[in-house]
Every structure is written in structure tokens, then in C-alpha cells.
Amino acid sequence: MEDLAILYLTLLPLVLAAAVIEGVWLARKRAEPYDWKSSACSLADLAGRRMLGFIPYALAAPWLDWAWQHRLFTQSLDDVWSVLLLFLGLEFFYYWYHRAGHTVRWFWSAHSVHHSPNQLNLSAAYRLGWFGRFTGTSLFFTPLVLLGFTPTEVLTALFLNLLYQFWLHADWIPRLGWLEYVLNTPSSHRVHHARNPEYLDANFGGVLIVLDRLFGTYVAERKEVPCDFGLVAPEVSSRNPVALNVLPWVGLVKDLRSARSFRERWMYLFGPPGWRPDGAGLTSAELRRRAGIGAAPEGEPVAA
């Protein structure tokens, strides 16, 4: 884990500098004011996450060490096939982790922090929330450890995957032609961050977009539907890192206390975000129904 920490600290200044440079450039170029308070919130979120970093993964995710002790194979990253297996395996499990982060309220309670900015820019990329590592998300990647990759190798690969996604949080990079069919791009990720009913629960890939196309969750950005960023139910200010991280869990606890049956408790925990027993919640399906939309419709992609 020490090598991962060194890599993180080495790249962090470059990431922060790029976000500041983009902010200055956008503030000068656009009529819409750049939201520096939101950018500061993202920085505060990053600082809080680093302060919680003193809790080792051995405590936050003890199953990783267990899986390593019971691994089926031992992989070597000197072998190109093992590297390819790690890359593709991480993409596969990241897709399902990310999809669960949007469709299961337990995971969404932590992941919603990342979707709270109302402007999509590079500073939003490192607003990842404080409690995600404590919700069991690393269980999604445990099969890679069972296949013979060390926990450090898996977490490093996940870090590099997230690092790739840094540049995707830009609303000024156009579509990238044929790369849109293979890679996760800024255009695809703008759709992922949009709260338009047409765009909800789409484009969960990390580096690749292939799995979204394979599993039916790919939605192209459409020029007739400009992306509107932020949460569909922004009960709290997007500039308050404490509220953003804590209030989703407070809301979950309140709902659990109001539940009248085991089924309601289960659905509040593991059902889709916004689920309500009377069916009048703000789930993605309900928001699409209210907007008169079935499945996300096809439209004319924005110009490349």
C-alpha cells in the first residue's frame, strides 16, 4: 500500500493544478460564472477523505486479505496476459460496482456525493465522498484477488482507472469520433452525470464503454437534450461537504425507522434510490414515467 500512497501523492498536485487552470480558463471564457465555492467543496471533500485514509484497508475491507490467503492462482504482472486479465477484470467488476452505486440505495448514499456538483468540471472528479470504502464496495473487486492479484495490485489498478476518468469530467471536450464506440469519453461521462430523465442510470464504464453497450446501459449525448448536472433531489447545498456526506445516511436511517415491514426495510436499503412504499418516490423509472419517457430514447448525437 506504501507504493500506492506514493503514487497518489505524486500525482495529486498535477490533478489539483489542472483543475485550477481549467477553472481560470472557464471563468474567463464563459458568461456563466465558474462556481469556485463548489470547487472548494470538492477540495474539502478530498481533504476529508484523506484524513479518513489513516484507517487501513485491513480494517475497512478485511475480506481482501482473506481472499488473498485463499486465492486460486498467483498472477505475475511480468506476464502480459496477467496484465490484460487485470485490466479487463477490473473493467468488468468496476462496471457492476458503479452500476450498483446508482441503482442500490446503500451504495448510492455514498456515491451521490460525486454527483452533487451542478457544474461538471475537473474539480468534480475528486469529489468522491468520505464513506465509500466503508460500504463494502471493495467486495466487487474481491474476485480479482481470488484470481491471484494482490490487494495492492487491485487497488492500484482501481486508482489508475479512476485517474483515467479525471479528464472525463470536462463539459468542453467534444465527441471523439470512433473512440466513442470503445472508450469512456467526456461525452459519455457528461451523460452519466446528467439528471435529465433521458440520461439517468447510463454509461457506468471506467476506461471502456463496451460493457455499457453490451448490457444495454449506453446512452449517447444528444444535442437536443443538453446535459443538466446535479442531483435529481438536491435537498442539501452542493457546497457543503459535511452535509453532502452525512445527510444521505441520515435520510436512510429515518426511512428505516419509518419502515413497517421487513420488505420495506430491505427496499430502503437495497432498492433503487428514491424508492417509496406508495410508488411515489423519485426513482429513475418513476422520473422517466413522469416525463413521458420509456427506455431512454435514441436521438441525434451531438456533433463530433
Side-chain angles (χ1 to χ4, degrees):
M1 296 295 181
E2 183 178 349
D3 291 341
L4 179 58
I6 294 173
L7 179 62
Y8 181 92
L9 293 175
T10 300
L11 295 174
L12 182 59
L14 300 178
V15 166
L16 296 177
V20 171
I21 292 171
E22 183 205 42
V24 172
W25 177 65
L26 291 176
R28 294 182 175 181
K29 178 182 178 183
R30 294 182 173 174
E32 178 188 12
Y34 183 85
D35 194 341
W36 288 106
K37 291 182 179 180
S38 180
S39 182
C41 175
S42 296
L43 187 60
D45 179 82
L46 172 63
R49 191 166 62 256
R50 291 311 305 157
M51 285 190 289
L52 289 172
F54 74 91
I55 301 176
Y57 260 99
L59 293 178
W63 43 82
L64 293 179
D65 285 335
W66 180 92
W68 175 246
Q69 296 301 322
H70 296 82
R71 63 191 182 277
L72 302 176
F73 312 98
T74 299
Q75 305 289 343
S76 170
L77 293 184
D78 294 332
D79 181 353
V80 64
W81 296 110
S82 290
V83 174
L84 184 61
L85 175 63
L86 178 59
F87 172 72
L88 294 178
L90 188 84
E91 277 293 311
F92 179 80
F93 294 117
Y94 179 85
Y95 170 86
W96 290 108
Y97 143 72
H98 199 184
R99 186 166 176 173
H102 284 255
T103 57
V104 178
R105 186 178 179 184
W106 172 259
F107 296 120
W108 174 249
S109 295
H111 186 59
S112 62
V113 179
H114 181 59
H115 285 262
S116 59
N118 298 122
Q119 291 182 353
L120 188 67
N121 50 56
L122 295 180
S123 72
Y126 46 78
R127 188 189 296 193
L128 298 176
W130 297 344
F131 304 126
R133 66 187 300 200
F134 306 109
T135 60
T137 54
S138 58
L139 282 169
F140 287 90
F141 305 101
T142 300
L144 291 171
V145 181
L146 288 172
L147 287 174
F149 298 101
T150 69
T152 298
E153 289 169 344
V154 172
L155 294 175
T156 301
L158 177 59
F159 169 77
L160 293 175
N161 191 296
L162 294 173
L163 181 65
Y164 168 85
Q165 295 181 54
F166 172 70
W167 75 290
L168 304 182
H169 296 78
D171 68 350
W172 48 271
I173 299 177
R175 284 174 62 88
L176 301 178
W178 64 269
L179 291 176
E180 300 289 340
Y181 292 94
V182 182
L183 296 177
N184 192 10
T185 65
S187 177
S188 292
H189 208 62
R190 285 193 288 272
V191 167
H192 175 73
H193 271 266
R195 59 186 171 189
N196 312 60
E198 296 89 344
Y199 291 153
L200 293 175
D201 294 345
N203 302 354
F204 299 113
V207 174
L208 304 177
I209 204 66
V210 175
L211 293 176
D212 285 283
R213 293 180 177 276
L214 179 64
F215 293 116
T217 53
Y218 174 74
V219 175
E221 185 180 16
R222 298 161 52 195
K223 64 181 180 181
E224 73 271 21
V225 185
C227 292
D228 179 26
F229 303 114
L231 300 173
V232 297
E235 294 91 352
V236 297
S237 169
S238 62
R239 301 177 181 88
N240 186 332
V242 176
L244 287 173
N245 280 279
V246 173
L247 289 188
W249 297 101
V250 173
L252 177 57
V253 170
K254 288 181 178 178
D255 285 339
L256 289 173
R257 292 178 63 182
S258 71
R260 295 169 294 180
S261 66
F262 174 81
R263 178 183 180 274
E264 287 187 7
R265 293 187 186 94
W266 177 270
M267 291 300 294
Y268 276 133
L269 277 171
F270 304 114
W275 180 87
R276 289 290 180 270
D278 60 2
L282 292 176
T283 65
S284 296
E286 176 62 17
L287 289 169
R288 287 197 183 96
R289 187 193 68 79
R290 294 181 188 181
I293 302 169
E298 293 295 330
E300 183 180 355
V302 297

